[in-house]
Amino acid sequence: MVGDVVSRTTLRHVRDIMAGAGGAQAKLNDIVVAIAEGTHADVCSIYLSRRHELLELFATKGLDQQAVHNTTLKFGEGLTGQIARRAKPLRLRHAQISPDFAYRPETGEEAFTSFMGVPVLYGGNVIGVLSIQHRLEHGYGDDEVEALEIIAMVVAEMVAGVLIPHEPSDVMVGDIQRPRTLEGLGLVDGVARGQAVFHQQRLNVARLIAEDGAAELIRLEEAVLEVQRGLNDLQLADDEHDQDETLEEMLETMRMFAADKGWVRRMRIAVEQGLTAEAAVERVHHEMRARLLRQPNLYFRERIHDLDDLADRMFRALGGDMSRPSSKLQGESILIARSLGPAQLLEYDRSALKALVVEEASPTSHVVILARALGIPVVGQTITAEDVVREGDVIVVDGERGQVHVRPAGAVLESLQERVRLNQLRRSLNEQAAQLEPVTLDGRRINCQINAGLVEDVHEVPRLGADGVGLFRTELHYMIAPGLPKAGEEVLFYQQAMDAAGGKPVTFRTLDLGGDKLLPYAQHIGDENPALGWRAIRICLDRPTFLKFQLRTMMKAADGRPLRIMFPMVASLEELQEAAHMAAREADAVARLGHQRPQYELGVMVEVPSLLEMIPQIAPYVSFLAVGTNDLMQFLYAADRGNARVANRYGRLPLGLLRVLARLSREAPAHGLQLSVCGEMAGRPEGVLALMLLGITGLSMSAASLPFIKQFIRASDVGALQEEFQMLLEQGDPSLASWLEQHVHVITSALDEELA
Ligand code: PEP
Ligand code: MG
């Protein structure tokens, strides 16, 4: 094919120009000459968009040089503008008779008869137009269009990623370089600034052009087969079990894309024309993304994620380099991810990671809980972040307002930086106030503990004047270890955690693995519905070695000090009995081995609704209950806590949950059980107010929330609100949640005035 030869040679030529010395403009000038020669055209022009929806002639071979940087066209204006608006190629044998032709006398283009142009796409956005023109009548074939599109892709990578520097906003190119504010959902409070880093790595310009075309084609074919096989396997699994509708839809779309002959053919052509298999995937992906993005129909736009998933699968099949998280962050970084697991978050350098933008997350997804514990602001559900943000962009994440400011311009950036500074100041003021006693205005002392996952978190107990660790999520330490910890390491770990608490109690929760908390070094079961599957205590009882190991190492570490152990996800009396029995046996074994006899108390997480019916039965085995409202809410309302579409559906404080808590608040003391709440509810003002009004005085929350919550407690008068609250609760008044919010507003406004 003519196009193949033309494109491959031209591509190499363009690559050499890019790799050579010289500034951006000089390179663009050389590139248009190379393309004109390679395509035997009389004219080659590159238009780039450095202001919103406005194209500017950046370089040309064949048109009048005076027009460079002087000729501009709006998106939609003239042939070039039409290409930009539609994000589609255009070819015309007789350009001037087209109604869209816009004559620009300064260019001298009246001398040329035929015209072909293609969009320059980056991240699915149009950042320019590349066109060629012929003096004599010329009919452009499909292969020529393909060839020019491929060259445009290489040009896109160059102008967006290499030649155009990031900093000064006036030299940035295209719509994607404009300042933008994305609206999302504030998931973790705080304001932070940093440079964008993608969790899913993008294509590196160095890997665009293939050295050996034939070998590259084989790689591509094999990857396509592997992906299709993978999807078919999923389909089989799907047919056997009744999968949920979203997954069904997603699979259907991916299969549709994957089986689309056009999709495979276009990738094949791209490789035949000189691209690497990865670059071919990227190219076709960008193109289809651009088309979907322009669909007015929401259904089609929502399919973008499926298309992205398919591209990720292809990249993985090609060698996996593309979607592996790069855990090395430089300087102050903001991580942008479509979705992210807690273990993946932990792989990043905590000191460099300033904020997180994660499209698929909800307030109680584990990654959000973890970020909250680490004091990292999070904004979620910003569907377009991946399209608008470029790696290296300056970003300000505002977790309070749920906004992401991308490339904020001068004055906006200054005012945002002021908010970042105030936020830091407020934190440090809060921390100073943290040593104060959490006693309400009407004299109720609230026990304020923190949730921890790593030893460093426990250091916050003395620093923030916390009453201890109410929930130590031991699985986090397993999740970041390179392999299963050895007994000695494990004993040391628990010892260090207890030491760090400075004599305050630490409640260790036994492994709560499964769901979205997976061990990177263990085989995954692939439960159909992981939150309801083989997780937490279920794994520990079925594989008792795990639990025995944990109990024994904890007991050794306590070395006679009081130890608090709690079991997660217990759903039946038998499970608790079995776990308690195992603890007793381990205590005997530890004593037999010559250690001090363990002084331990047992507790159970109240997360599975079945347990609510068994408080009297479980009371003989435990001394405390810790309510995990994140899971309890998920199971009570059958609403996946990690699924952004349903996680907030019933509000944060629905009546059913409050009534369950009221019941626990009555029953626990009646059976001699201490009661506390350690779900995210206990770290939010409206949740804390509700809990205090329900008579629950034990809270455990992320360390980052504690200073403010202490101040909030100190500013609350529970007694004054109690009667009205009881009445609303008993009546089942639907305005209860907004009533709570109003009172929170009154209390926090008073606090803010004090701060001012
Ligand atoms: C909970 O479910 O509320 C809880 C505290 O446990 P986790 O968030 O770790 O599941
Ligand atoms: Mg839980």
Side-chain angles (χ1 to χ4, degrees), residues 364 366 369 451 471 473 475 509 512 517 535 605 607 627-632 641 678-680:
T364 55
H366 279 115
I369 292 176
N451 295 345
L471 164 64
R473 293 182 164 103
E475 62 277 1
R509 176 174 77 183
D512 185 7
K517 292 187 276 193
R535 57 173 288 202
M605 298 272 300
E607 301 182 287
V627 189
T629 45
N630 308 335
D631 275 318
L632 184 58
R641 62 191 266 189
C678 60
E680 295 309 292

Side-chain angles (χ1 to χ4, degrees), residues 219-272:
R219 286 184 68 226
L220 178 78
E221 303 285 358
E222 284 175 351
V224 169
L225 281 179
E226 189 180 324
V227 168
Q228 285 173 339
R229 262 199 306 270
L231 289 173
N232 287 340
D233 288 352
L234 278 178
Q235 180 173 21
L236 287 181
D238 190 23
D239 289 346
E240 281 163 22
H241 318 276
D242 252 352
Q243 293 275 14
D244 71 87
E245 234 175 78
T246 321
L247 181 63
E248 176 61 46
E249 238 174 53
M250 185 193 91
L251 283 175
E252 196 46 51
T253 319
M254 290 214 283
R255 281 194 298 266
M256 193 183 77
F257 285 135
D260 176 6
K261 291 267 181 329
W263 180 72
V264 180
R265 186 183 60 85
R266 296 175 75 78
M267 288 193 297
R268 208 176 283 145
I269 291 175
V271 169
E272 280 166 0

